[in-house]
Amino acid sequence: MSASGVLSFTQQGWEQVLAKVKRAVVYLDAACAESLHWGCGSTRLLEAVGGPDCHLREFEPDAIGGGAKQPKAVFVLSCLLKGRTVEILRDIICRSHFQYCVVVTTVSHAVHLTANHVPAAAAAEMEGQQPVFEQLEEKLCEWMGNMNYTAEVFHVPLLLAPVAPHFALTPAFASLFPLLPQDVHLLNSARPDKRKLGSLGDVDSTTLTPELLLQIRCLVSGLSSLCEHLGVREECFAVGSLSQVIAADLANYAPAKNRKKTAAGRASVVFVDRTLDLTGAVGHHGDNLVEKIISALPQLPGHTNDVMVNMIALTALHTEEENYNVVAPGCLSQSSDTTAKALWEALLNTKHKEAVMEVRRHLVEAASRENLPIKMSMGRVTPGQLMSYIQLFKNNLKALMNHCGLLQLGLATAQTLKHPQTAKWDNFLAFERLLLQSIGESAMSVVLNQLLPMIKPVTQRTNEDYSPEELLILLIYIYSVTGELTVDKDLCEAEEKVKKALAQVFCEESGLSPLLQKITGFGVRMMLASSNWDSSINLTFHKSKIAVDELFTSLRDIAGARSLLKQFKSVYVPGNHTHQASYKPLLKQVVEEIFHPERPDSVDIEHMSSGLTDLLKTGFSMFMKVSRPHPSDYPLLILFVVGGVTVSEVKMVKDLVASLKPGTQVIVLSTRLLKPLNIPELLFATDRLHPDLGF
C-alpha cells in the first residue's frame, strides 16, 4: 500500500488492454487516451500493436473503419456502452472487415446494470454474471456479419491519469464540478411535485438529476477499484454538498461489500468541493513553474491536463507561425523517459527559481554526456540561455533521440519564460495582494470601484491591460476570498457600475472568445430558448447586460459558497501591525484540522456512514463513549478535490502531511489540473446538472 499505487493501478489496467491489441486497429476515446498518455505512453501501445499495417484511431462517428487486411479491432472507451456510444460502435464495425472485436469499458458491469434501471436487489443476484456485456458481444458478432466471429466485452478500471507517484487525475470526469446555489432553483424546477430544496444543504442523491447521479456512480466504481488495488477498506469523509453525495455513494457502494470485509489495510478518503475555495484556483500565489507552463502554453488537442510544446527550434524549419503545425508538438508527460520523468517530478515539487535552475542543470549534464560543445554560464537562467543549450542537440540525431523528453521540458520552460502571460503573472499577483489589503480595510463596494478603471474596451487596451476573460478571473478571486457579503446600497451601486462597464466591453469585442460566447449564451439562454441566435453575431448592449447580470448572480453564489460551513467559513486572514492580510487555502485548513494533535470532531469534515453498523455507532455515541472514525486514524489519506486542483495545492498538501504527521502517506486525486482560465469555463458550463454520458 504505497502512494505509487496510482501508477501501478493505471499500468496494471493498461497491461490487460495491451494483451489484446496485437495487430489490431485500436480505437481510443479522449479520456482513455489521456490515461494512456500519463500512465505508460502511446509508444508502449504502438509496441504492443506491432506490424506496419496497424493503426491508432480516435473513437468518433467519422472514424475510419478497418480494411480487408485488418481483421481485428480493439475499442477502449471511458463511457457507458449504451445509446450513442453503441451506435458509433455499430457504424464503425459495419463499414469494416473485422472478424474479431474487443470492447474495453472503464465502467463496471454493476454500473451498466444501474444505467439500465435494474433494481439493486436484482443486480445483487447477478453477481458473477454479466448479461449487459454478453448481449453486446452478440451484437458485435451480428454487426461483423457472422455469429461465429469472436467478440469480447470486459471492464478495466482505467480511471486515472497519474501525473506523479502521489498525484493523479480523472480525465473522464474533467467536467464534474460542484453545485452552486443557483443550481438549487434548477433542481426544484425539475421536480415540481416534490418538496422544495431550501439550499445546497438539502441536496442529496435523491434530489440530483439521473445523469449526474450516474456520472457520480461511474466515478465511485473507479475509486472502489482503486481501493481494491491498494488493498484498503476506506472510511469516507466530505466537505461540501456534492462531495457528501459522492462520499456517501462510495461508502455504501454495494459491489464493494465483500472487498471491504477482506481488505487488510485502511485508508481515509476525504472529498472536498472546489467551489468552497475558488481563490486558490484563479489566484497567482503559486510560485511554481509548472503552473505557469500550463497557463501560458496552448492545450494539447483532446487533452485537459497537458500542453503543446513548440518543437520547431529543433528542426531546420524557419520559426514563422505558419510552420508551427508542420512539426508534431511536444508535451509535459514523459511517462516512458526515466530522466525526463525525474525532472518533471522535481518541477512539480520545487519553487519557480529552483525549477528553472534544475532544467538548466539537466540540459548541461545531457550535453556533457553527449560531448556537445557547451559553454557554461552561471547566474540567472534566461530563455535565451536555455535555447542555446537546447539547440546544441539540433543537428545530432542520436543525442536528440537520447534526450527527447528532457528537450521537450526544456523547450516548455524556455517558451514559458519568454511568454507575455508570464510577465502578466506578476501583475496579477501584485493586484491580488493589493486586493487582500483593500478587503480588510474597505467595503466591497470600494474594492469593486478600484477595479472599475481597469475595465477597458478593446480599442483602449494595451498588452499590459486585462482582457475580459482576465477581468472575470479577478472578479472570481474578489468574491471567493471575500466570502459572505453584506448587501447594501453602496454594493449594489458599485456592482451596477462594473456590470455596465463589462457589458459594454463584451459588446465592443471584435470577436467573442469561446468563453465569452459560452457566458453570453449562458446569460441569455432563457430569453433565447425559442430563437436561432448566433453567438458569433455582435451582442447588443441589452443582451450583453442580461448575460452580465447572470454572471454576477454566479459571483454572489461564489461569495456565499462557504455559508453552510461553520469551521471553514473564511479563507481570508486579516492583517495586523506585524503581518499583512493574507489568503489561507481551504485545503490547508482541512489538512491541518485532520491532523490536529487533539483530534477534535470536525463539524465540517463529515463522516459518511456505511450501513447499519456505522449508524448504530453514531447513535450509541450520543449515550456512551463510542469512537467514530477520524480521518487521521489510518496510514493512508486519499484527498479528492471535486472540480480540479492546482499544482501548488498538491505540493502544499504533500508538504503539510509530511510535517504534521510524518509516516502518513497521502494521495491527491482530482477531476482535472487547473489553470485560472478553467474556472470561468467550468462555472458557466450549461451541462453541470446534465452531463453528457455518451448516450
Side-chain angles (χ1 to χ4, degrees):
M1 182 182 70
S2 70
S4 62
V6 296
L7 181 58
S8 62
F9 172 65
T10 305
Q11 290 179 338
Q12 189 179 91
W14 277 105
E15 287 302 323
Q16 294 179 60
V17 176
L18 297 178
K20 296 287 184 180
V21 301
K22 189 173 182 181
R23 296 191 175 277
V25 180
V26 181
Y27 295 86
L28 294 158
D29 67 16
C32 288
E34 199 159 359
S35 172
L36 173 72
H37 177 73
W38 289 96
C40 47
S42 56
T43 306
R44 180 75 185 85
L45 178 58
L46 288 167
E47 288 169 353
V49 170
D53 298 325
C54 302
H55 302 280
L56 304 187
R57 293 172 187 168
E58 183 180 357
F59 181 76
E60 59 176 357
D62 298 326
I64 299 169
K69 294 182 179 179
Q70 295 170 318
K72 183 179 178 183
V74 176
F75 298 85
V76 190
L77 309 176
S78 63
C79 46
L80 286 155
L81 303 177
K82 191 173 165 60
R84 191 171 72 248
T85 300
V86 172
E87 289 170 8
I88 296 170
L89 263 175
R90 178 198 64 205
D91 292 346
I92 293 172
I93 293 168
C94 286
R95 60 175 174 260
S96 303
H97 295 79
F98 299 138
Q99 299 173 23
Y100 182 4
C101 274
V102 179
V103 177
V104 179
T105 173
T106 66
V107 182
S108 70
H109 187 267
V111 178
H112 278 85
L113 291 176
T114 302
N116 284 288
H117 311 293
V118 175
E125 291 175 7
M126 292 182 194
E127 192 172 351
Q129 303 173 51
Q130 299 192 327
V132 177
F133 292 173
E134 289 163 8
Q135 286 169 18
L136 182 56
E137 286 173 351
E138 287 185 14
K139 284 289 184 187
L140 293 174
C141 289
E142 186 181 310
W143 298 331
M144 285 188 283
N146 189 326
M147 298 307 289
N148 292 319
Y149 285 166
T150 306
E152 296 178 59
V153 179
F154 61 95
H155 160 240
V156 177
L158 303 172
L159 171 73
L160 301 179
V163 176
H166 60 282
F167 174 36
L169 304 162
T170 58
F173 303 93
S175 64
L176 181 63
F177 200 69
L179 306 184
L180 292 169
Q182 61 190 284
D183 293 315
V184 172
H185 303 302
L186 296 172
L187 288 171
N188 280 332
S189 63
R191 50 201 302 274
D193 301 330
K194 297 182 180 177
R195 180 180 63 85
K196 296 294 180 188
L197 306 174
S199 70
L200 285 175
D202 298 330
V203 171
D204 60 22
S205 60
T206 64
T207 60
L208 296 181
T209 62
E211 302 99 314
L212 183 53
L213 264 181
L214 201 50
Q215 185 183 37
I216 288 169
R217 179 56 59 88
C218 290
L219 173 61
V220 161
S221 167
L223 291 173
S224 178
S225 296
L226 172 63
C227 290
E228 181 175 13
H229 175 80
L230 296 172
V232 297
R233 174 187 167 185
E234 67 276 15
E235 291 292 343
C236 299
F237 303 84
V239 184
S241 56
L242 191 66
S243 284
Q244 286 176 5
V245 176
I246 299 170
D249 202 39
L250 179 58
N252 295 283
Y253 185 53
K257 195 173 179 182
N258 292 332
R259 165 182 68 76
K260 290 180 180 180
K261 286 178 183 175
T262 58
R266 300 291 294 276
S268 299
V269 184
V270 181
F271 295 88
V272 181
D273 278 4
R274 173 78 267 175
T275 42
L276 299 174
D277 177 12
L278 294 179
T279 313
V282 296
H284 296 73
H285 322 95
D287 186 19
N288 184 277
L289 174 63
V290 175
E291 278 192 7
K292 294 174 184 177
I293 292 172
I294 290 166
S295 294
L297 300 188
Q299 192 169 295
L300 192 63
H303 290 246
T304 51
N305 305 297
D306 207 342
V307 297
M308 288 196 289
V309 180
N310 188 340
M311 303 296 289
I312 206 164
L314 288 171
T315 72
L317 290 169
H318 294 294
T319 55
E320 285 85 5
E321 195 168 331
E322 59 264 25
N323 287 329
Y324 285 5
N325 293 328
V326 175
V327 179
C331 59
L332 299 177
S333 172
Q334 303 298 330
S335 50
S336 55
D337 184 328
T338 308
T339 306
K341 198 171 181 181
L343 174 59
W344 166 248
E345 289 175 16
L347 300 186
L348 290 171
N349 292 304
T350 52
K351 292 186 176 181
H352 174 95
K353 186 178 178 181
E354 289 87 348
V356 293
M357 290 176 70
E358 191 70 7
V359 172
R360 178 174 68 181
R361 184 180 70 81
H362 273 74
L363 287 171
V364 169
E365 288 180 358
S368 299
R369 280 197 297 273
E370 299 292 342
N371 296 316
L372 299 174
I374 191 161
K375 290 181 181 178
M376 288 294 293
S377 56
M378 302 303 289
R380 193 168 68 91
V381 181
T382 66
Q385 185 189 93
L386 293 178
M387 288 305 297
S388 69
Y389 296 153
I390 289 166
Q391 286 179 328
L392 293 172
F393 295 80
K394 182 173 177 177
N395 296 315
N396 188 324
L397 183 60
K398 180 174 175 290
L400 201 153
M401 292 181 69
N402 287 343
H403 304 284
C404 187
L406 167 62
L407 293 172
Q408 290 175 64
L409 295 176
L411 281 165
T413 302
Q415 289 163 22
T416 299
L417 291 179
K418 64 182 180 184
H419 197 283
Q421 191 65 36
T422 304
K424 223 169 188 182
W425 187 281
D426 294 333
N427 295 344
F428 268 107
L429 181 58
F431 188 65
E432 287 162 6
R433 285 174 175 164
L434 179 65
L435 284 172
L436 287 173
Q437 306 317 310
S438 299
I439 288 165
E441 298 164 4
S442 313
M444 182 67 157
S445 56
V446 176
V447 175
L448 289 175
N449 284 328
Q450 286 179 333
L451 186 68
L452 200 55
M454 303 164 71
I455 305 174
K456 298 179 182 179
V458 65
T459 53
Q460 298 175 23
R461 283 201 303 269
T462 67
N463 290 336
E464 283 73 41
D465 290 318
Y466 293 106
S467 69
E469 294 85 354
E470 290 167 337
L471 290 166
L472 292 178
I473 287 168
L474 286 174
L475 282 166
I476 292 167
Y477 184 96
I478 292 168
Y479 278 79
S480 179
V481 77
T482 302
E484 284 188 86
L485 296 169
T486 302
V487 179
D488 56 20
K489 181 185 173 187
D490 288 344
L491 175 61
C492 292
E493 286 179 356
E495 282 188 336
E496 194 60 30
K497 288 177 188 173
V498 174
K499 286 180 189 179
K500 286 179 178 175
L502 266 182
Q504 192 61 45
V505 165
F506 286 2
C507 288
E508 294 182 20
E509 287 297 292
S510 53
L512 292 177
S513 68
L515 174 59
L516 293 184
Q517 287 184 28
K518 183 183 286 187
I519 289 170
T520 50
F522 173 83
V524 295
R525 69 183 187 276
M526 298 297 182
M527 188 182 75
L528 302 170
S530 60
S531 67
N532 296 317
W533 180 68
D534 180 355
S535 62
S536 66
I537 296 171
N538 286 337
L539 285 172
T540 62
F541 179 81
H542 176 64
K543 287 179 179 178
S544 183
K545 182 64 166 54
I546 291 173
V548 173
D549 284 342
E550 194 151 349
L551 164 67
F552 269 75
T553 300
S554 296
L555 290 172
R556 290 269 187 101
D557 280 355
I558 290 163
R562 295 183 294 275
S563 61
L564 295 174
L565 301 180
K566 298 178 176 64
Q567 193 173 359
F568 305 135
K569 261 195 175 316
S570 178
V571 295
Y572 177 73
V573 181
N576 55 37
H577 61 283
T578 56
H579 294 97
Q580 288 190 323
S582 61
Y583 154 66
K584 186 173 183 181
L586 182 103
L587 285 178
K588 184 175 186 181
Q589 297 181 49
V590 169
V591 173
E592 285 178 347
E593 179 64 19
I594 288 172
F595 295 108
H596 193 290
E598 293 178 9
R599 290 167 44 89
D601 272 344
S602 173
V603 289
D604 288 336
I605 306 174
E606 188 170 344
H607 175 247
M608 311 312 290
S609 61
S610 55
L612 183 61
T613 307
D614 276 353
L615 286 171
L616 287 172
K617 277 186 185 178
T618 304
F620 282 130
S621 69
M622 296 169 65
F623 309 105
M624 53 197 294
K625 197 173 177 69
V626 176
S627 61
R628 283 186 293 181
H630 190 277
S632 67
D633 285 343
Y634 313 113
L636 174 63
L637 169 68
I638 300 174
L639 184 67
F640 194 112
V641 187
V642 181
V645 72
T646 68
V647 172
S648 295
E649 288 171 333
V650 175
K651 181 182 183 302
M652 176 191 70
V653 168
K654 183 170 171 268
D655 293 347
L656 256 181
V657 173
S659 65
L660 294 172
K661 194 171 181 184
T664 298
Q665 293 180 338
V666 62
I667 294 174
V668 180
L669 303 178
S670 190
T671 46
R672 65 184 297 158
L673 199 54
L674 287 176
K675 59 182 177 183
L677 200 56
N678 290 146
I679 292 300
E681 290 168 351
L682 289 163
L683 277 172
F684 304 116
T686 54
D687 58 352
R688 189 160 54 237
L689 291 172
H690 301 278
D692 182 1
L693 301 178
F695 64 88

